[in-house]
Structures are given as C-alpha cells and as structure tokens.
Amino acid sequence: MKFYITILFFALLFTGCKKETVKLSVNADEIFWLSNKGADMPVWVKGNTASKIILLFLHGGPGDGAYRYAGFQTNQLWSKYAMAFWDQRDGGAAAGNNNYDNLNLPQMIEDLEKLIVVLKYRYGNDVEIFLMGHSFGGLLGTGFLVKGDNQKNIRGWIEVDGAHDYPATNILSRQMMIDTGLSEIAKGNYMNEWKEIVDYCTVSPPNVSLAISTKTTALAHTAEKYVNINHTVTEVDYTSVSSPLTFGINLFHLYYTSEGKQFLQSLEPITYTDQLQKITIPSLLIWGQYDFTVPPSLGTDALNRLGSSYKHMYLMPHSGHTPMNGDTKLFAQTVIDFVEAVK
Amino acid sequence: MHNICSKRFFSIIPLLVLSISNLKGQDSLRVVQKPVFVHTDFFYDFPQSFGASAGVDFVIGTKLKITKTKNASEKVSHRDLIVSADIGFYRYPFNHSGLYFSPAIGKRYYDVKPYYFELLLNAGMLRTFYDGSVYTVDNTGNVKELKKYGRYYFTTGFAGVFGHDFERSKKPKPFALQVKPFFWIQYPYNSYLLPHLSLEVGFKYHLKKFNLPVKQKILSTFYSK
C-alpha cells in the first residue's frame, strides 16, 4: 500500500511541476489571465495561433472591455491570425479586490509590458506581436511604444481612431462638429439637431473639465447619427465570455463614482504628440471619416510626426469612431495588407 | 374648526372597533420536535454560471398562532426562526469557478397547507478560481504561473424561498421541493461591489431521526362579541 501511495505522491508532484505547454492551433479559443498589482485581467485568444502572428487589441473607453470586438468586427482577422482581446484593469471582465489605487495610465502601461512578456512566454519568443489600439487604446499603446525600448518586442503599430493626445482631441472634436454642423445646417439637414451641437461647441470652453469633455464626447457620438454612415450596431456576445454584470458594474464604477472620475480626470491633460517621432516601427493609422470623437485630423497630424519609415493612413468612408463596425471588410483587408507587408 | 372635528372622528374609530370586536389574547410555551432538513440544489447565476449546492437547515425558534374567528372556525399559522448553511460551487465558462459558503438566518411561514415561504438573510464567503492559466511577471521579467489562483470575497444578500413540504401533505413523504431566487453582492470587487442574481431549485430531505427540540410559543387570539 505504501508503495502505491509513494508512486501516487511522486506522480502528483511531477504533474504539478510540469510547465503547461500551449498547443498552437489554427482555430484557438482560449483564455489566460495576467495578475498584476491587484488586478486580474483576462486575455481571450481567438484564431490562428499557429500563424505565429498575434494582433493584441487594446480597447477603448477606458473601461469598454475588449470582448465586444471579438465578433463580426474582427472575425476576418482572427481567421488568418490570432487576436488577443485583453480586458484592461477595472474594465470588462477584469477582477480583483481593492485595486483602485493602482488605476492610472503608467500602471496600465506596465500591465501591457508584462502582457507582452507573457504572450512571448506562452506562444514562443518567435511570435510576432502587432498592437492594435482603438480610441483610449491609442493613448495606451502610444504611451507604451514611446517608453524605453518597448518597441523592440512589437512588429507593428495599428492605431484605430486613437486618442494619443487628449487635449488636441477635445479641440479638434469641437472644431469638426462646428464645421460639419454649419455645413449641414446650410444644406438643410437635421437643422435643429446640428444647431444644438454647434451651439454647445461654440459656447463651452475647450477642454477645461471632465464634465465638458464627457459632454463633448457624448455629442460627438450623437453627431454620427446625422451624417451618412453605416450604423452597424456593436454585437456583444453575452453568451460566450462577457458578463453584462461585470462589464456594467466596472463601467458604472469608472464613470459614476468619484474615484472613477478622478482617474478619468487624470487622463485629460495627457498628450504624446511631441513624442510620436520616437515610434519607428511600421505603423498603420485607420480612421473613420466621420469620427467626431477623435477626428481624422488627429491621425493626419500623427502620420506626419511618426518616426516610422513605413507608415500609412487610411480613411474608412462609411465609419464613425468604430470603423470595424462601419467598414468591417475594408478594415480587415487594410489590416491584413499591412501585416502581410511588414511581417 | 373643520380640522379638529376630523381629528376627533378618526380618534374615535379605534375605540369603536375595539368595542365591537373585543380582541383577546393568550400566550403559552411548550417544547416541540422540529425537523432538520438536508438539501441539495441546482444553482444558476445570471447570465451563464451553473453549479450545485448542498446544506442543512433547522429551526431554532417557533411560534404557533391560533386565531379563532367569529364563526368559531380556527386559523393556524406558523412562523419558524430558521438557520441554514450552504456550501456550493458554480462554473462561469471562460471566466472563473466559484466555491462558496453561505450561512443564513430567516423566517419560514406556513399554515395548514403544505406550502411554505421563507425570507432569508445571508452573509458568507466566496472563493474564485480563474479559468485558464494565470501568470504574473516580476520586475526582472520572470514569468510565474500561479496555480489554482483566484480571489476571496465576502458575500451578503437576501432570498425568498417558495416551497412545497410533502411531509405535510395528505400522504406524507419526508421531503420538500423549493425554488429560491436571491440577490447577493460580492465585495470588494475592483474596490467596489458586484451584484448577482441567482436561482436555486432544491430538494430537501428530512432524515427520520433528525429532529431538534425547540421551544414553541403559542399565541392564541380570538374574537368575541
């Protein structure tokens, strides 16, 4: 009996010590977690990990969660490559106990640095990682890329309507709404709706408080309804991995409590425009032509400033702030062309 | 003036009622045997967690209220003070599994019919275990895989239980079936709290020799002309 118990003990011991090997697949559908400074952040990996190319999606918001973009918006991409949908700390399905003291941009950049290390550990050092930052993810991704030698681990940078300069975003957003609004009023389109938007943008001082910034963003989303774009509704796949409760409560905490607002306020003055020349890896900028939230002019400015020798910008003709919704096929093809060109 | 008249009129109403139906009450105390139930439940937590739980519940105090009405019929109602303790688990695919311990205190209401209703307040603990591998990276870039990693949370909430006690049916059987919707929160969740909506469908069994002596307070109330 003792003999069998000893064998069982050693079998369990060696099983416990064995490093889990991740099997690469053309149709991966797996989850892992990064635990860092009080936050446990899920990463949902979908698609072709055997391609050894991973597009790491940095969601917007902050707090939007990444899982909602794992459906029709990106399925052409994860059919060809792997996509990693990372829920940032205190967003989406990320969990933890008392961790709000660590909710700030430098900490999120550190989270991203560690996530890159884990992706290489898990899928192999030869895996090529492309960062894809949408909206706030553009700020986070740019902050990561201009820090130290972080770029050495990244094959390419894809900025999608990215807010890498919050003060400039606020100013350009208001200007675009005023210009478009006056033009549409002159044409007789949605005159009352545009007048309300133009009046607010004309009267309110630019970028002095979170309240004004929040209101401006809300108007920018509304303005998309009054121009001729494709309003595909974002489908949230509740039945797979994302809980509306965790997602909702994380968003509520962020946008309706004083500590959440404190974090949002801390983002208001952040700009990386003056550091964009530090980015030298191949870069692709994709913007919705009718994005009033983060206007295309911010992307045009970034294109001129990036230090990359390979850099391109494309406007999606039927899109607002989320071109993977408005121009799904064109968006995917543009990304694929870029990856194939620089991989 | 009008106001004073109204006040007088309304203050007289209770006196009139008391004089018409002279309410009398009589209390007494005795010891009765109350069943200890063991139960097992199917557990669902919105939107996509499924699991099971098991536990025990028993009575620690009971009141029997007998009300005699004007036409000499008798109305009997019971109110038990109950304590329960559950241990359970659930799995939330692609997210985490949870193991919880949830003691509760509450009241059970029933009359001569075999149905019962319970109101329960619970406070317990939840331990989560994340789905998939969990990694942490130290400042020198070393990756460590954390085994069976998750978090501890406090939980608290309230539940309503709707049940059928077959032990009090015409052909008694020693079990009961119940449905238990409940609302609970886990905290601290990201320095805040996370609400839950759950449902349990359970089977309770009364082992023959599992009874507890409990003091029963009898409240007799009757009406006379």
Side-chain angles (χ1 to χ4, degrees):
Chain A
M1 187 65 184
K2 273 183 182 174
F3 173 75
Y4 289 115
I5 290 173
T6 310
I7 286 179
L8 186 65
F9 174 77
F10 280 105
L12 287 171
L13 190 69
F14 286 117
T15 308
C17 291
K18 192 180 170 189
K19 176 184 174 291
E20 187 185 329
T21 48
V22 177
K23 200 176 170 185
L24 300 179
S25 156
V26 293
N27 193 22
D29 189 13
E30 57 205 33
I31 194 159
F32 69 87
W33 295 72
L34 169 68
S35 183
N36 191 36
K37 302 276 173 67
D40 305 326
M41 297 161 278
V43 183
W44 184 15
V45 178
K46 283 192 80 150
N48 187 0
T49 49
S51 69
K52 287 275 180 179
I53 291 172
I54 295 177
L55 308 183
L56 172 55
F57 187 79
L58 312 178
H59 67 74
D64 265 6
Y67 292 173
R68 62 197 297 194
Y69 298 104
F72 74 98
Q73 302 94 336
T74 54
N75 65 3
Q76 291 173 76
L77 294 175
W78 49 257
S79 302
K80 196 168 177 61
Y81 315 114
M83 282 200 75
F85 298 94
W86 166 46
D87 275 352
Q88 298 150 19
R89 59 175 55 233
D90 301 293
N97 293 135
N98 289 308
N99 53 20
Y100 239 56
D101 289 346
N102 291 326
L103 183 61
N104 54 68
L105 188 62
Q107 182 57 62
M108 295 169 95
I109 291 171
E110 185 198 296
D111 293 342
L112 179 52
E113 288 167 343
K114 291 188 171 177
L115 178 55
I116 301 291
V117 174
V118 172
L119 282 171
K120 296 233 171 207
Y121 172 84
R122 192 175 156 89
Y123 296 100
N125 267 324
D126 56 339
V127 72
E128 293 189 329
I129 298 171
F130 289 76
L131 282 189
M132 181 188 284
H134 173 237
S135 193
F136 166 77
L139 183 78
L140 175 59
T142 307
F144 166 84
L145 291 170
V146 300
K147 184 184 167 193
D149 59 354
N150 281 341
Q151 287 179 66
K152 76 171 196 277
N153 293 315
I154 306 298
R155 191 73 194 90
W157 167 229
I158 303 165
E159 186 172 25
V160 185
D161 299 70
H164 55 262
D165 186 330
Y166 263 41
T169 297
N170 278 312
I171 293 167
L172 294 171
S173 171
R174 297 153 60 84
Q175 195 55 54
M176 185 177 174
M177 282 193 277
I178 291 169
D179 294 345
T180 311
L182 291 175
S183 167
E184 293 296 304
I185 289 167
K187 290 180 206 165
N189 297 332
Y190 295 101
M191 293 169 71
N192 291 335
E193 290 82 357
W194 276 115
K195 187 177 181 310
E196 191 186 329
I197 292 171
V198 170
D199 285 351
Y200 182 84
C201 293
T202 309
V203 173
S204 307
N207 189 34
V208 291
S209 73
L210 177 64
I212 291 175
S213 173
T214 305
K215 172 76 175 171
T216 308
T217 304
L219 286 176
H221 285 299
T222 309
E224 288 189 13
K225 294 176 187 169
Y226 309 131
V227 289
N228 184 30
I229 61 170
N230 182 7
H231 298 292
T232 309
V233 177
T234 303
E235 289 176 3
V236 181
D237 188 0
Y238 291 133
T239 56
S240 56
V241 289
S242 182
S243 162
L245 280 177
T246 50
F247 173 69
I249 210 72
N250 279 332
L251 265 189
F252 177 84
H253 191 202
L254 202 54
Y255 286 86
Y256 294 97
T257 65
S258 59
E259 50 189 350
K261 286 178 179 175
Q262 202 176 340
F263 164 64
L264 295 176
Q265 181 68 57
S266 75
L267 300 175
E268 287 298 315
I270 297 178
T271 168
Y272 289 113
T273 292
D274 293 341
Q275 299 185 61
L276 288 175
Q277 79 282 356
K278 288 184 186 172
I279 299 178
T280 54
I281 57 172
S283 298
L284 171 68
L285 307 178
I286 300 178
W287 244 266
Q289 190 168 340
Y290 299 100
D291 183 0
F292 296 95
T293 311
V294 184
S297 49
L298 190 77
T300 312
D301 179 70
L303 186 69
N304 293 328
R305 294 173 186 267
L306 283 167
S308 317
S309 56
Y310 189 100
K311 54 183 179 180
H312 293 284
M313 178 172 174
Y314 294 94
L315 285 180
M316 300 288 115
H318 308 103
S319 295
H321 188 52
T322 314
M324 40 291 208
N325 284 351
D327 289 280
T328 309
K329 281 185 182 172
L330 180 60
F331 173 82
Q333 195 54 54
T334 307
V335 173
I336 290 168
D337 290 346
F338 172 70
V339 173
E340 292 300 312
V342 304
K343 71 178 183 182
Chain B
M1 181 65 186
H2 172 75
N3 194 27
I4 292 169
C5 285
S6 300
K7 280 181 183 172
R8 279 181 185 163
F9 174 74
F10 284 112
S11 62
I12 287 168
I13 286 178
L15 293 172
L16 284 170
V17 171
L18 282 174
S19 64
I20 293 167
S21 60
N22 189 9
L23 189 67
K24 292 180 181 175
Q26 188 182 343
D27 293 355
S28 63
L29 203 62
R30 67 177 179 184
V31 174
V32 293
Q33 293 292 316
K34 284 284 182 179
V36 175
F37 281 103
V38 289
H39 60 259
T40 178
D41 305 87
F42 165 78
F43 175 91
Y44 165 75
D45 185 48
F46 178 79
Q48 51 191 320
S49 305
F50 294 93
S53 71
V56 61
D57 67 70
F58 51 91
V59 179
I60 56 170
T62 179
K63 281 179 185 171
L64 169 65
K65 190 177 175 186
I66 304 167
T67 309
K68 288 180 180 168
T69 57
K70 284 181 217 171
N71 54 12
S73 64
E74 227 177 51
K75 192 182 170 191
V76 176
S77 62
H78 297 260
R79 193 165 60 189
D80 295 346
L81 182 62
I82 57 172
V83 170
S84 75
D86 285 17
I87 187 162
F89 73 94
Y90 64 83
R91 180 163 149 68
Y92 177 177
F94 265 69
N95 198 306
H96 70 274
S97 297
L99 184 65
Y100 62 88
F101 173 65
S102 180
I105 188 163
K107 287 194 171 174
R108 178 183 296 145
Y109 302 89
Y110 57 96
D111 53 26
V112 289
K113 292 173 187 166
Y115 308 111
Y116 61 90
F117 173 68
E118 292 171 2
L119 272 176
L120 298 170
L121 274 176
N122 66 59
M125 186 163 273
L126 168 71
R127 164 76 166 146
T128 61
F129 301 91
Y130 295 121
D131 256 21
S133 303
V134 182
Y135 302 96
T136 187
V137 183
D138 67 20
N139 288 334
T140 55
N142 293 318
V143 179
K144 188 180 169 192
E145 205 171 326
L146 305 169
K147 296 288 179 191
K148 296 179 181 62
Y149 188 74
R151 299 270 175 185
Y152 285 100
Y153 297 94
F154 290 109
T155 63
T156 186
F158 60 90
V161 180
F162 303 89
H164 187 147
D165 185 356
F166 290 88
E167 207 159 30
R168 292 189 289 111
S169 294
K170 285 177 185 170
K171 291 179 182 174
K173 306 278 183 198
F175 62 83
L177 295 174
Q178 64 179 30
V179 177
K180 178 181 169 187
F182 63 111
F183 172 82
W184 55 287
I185 54 174
Q186 74 177 73
Y187 59 93
Y189 175 82
N190 285 341
S191 302
Y192 202 53
L193 54 85
L194 183 65
H196 289 261
L197 285 170
S198 303
L199 183 75
E200 279 183 4
V201 178
F203 174 82
K204 292 177 30 157
Y205 193 79
H206 174 206
L207 295 169
K208 237 180 184 179
K209 290 179 181 174
F210 262 38
N211 296 296
L212 281 178
V214 178
K215 283 180 184 171
Q216 185 179 56
K217 194 173 182 183
I218 303 169
L219 303 168
S220 300
T221 310
F222 58 91
Y223 295 89
S224 64
K225 284 182 183 176

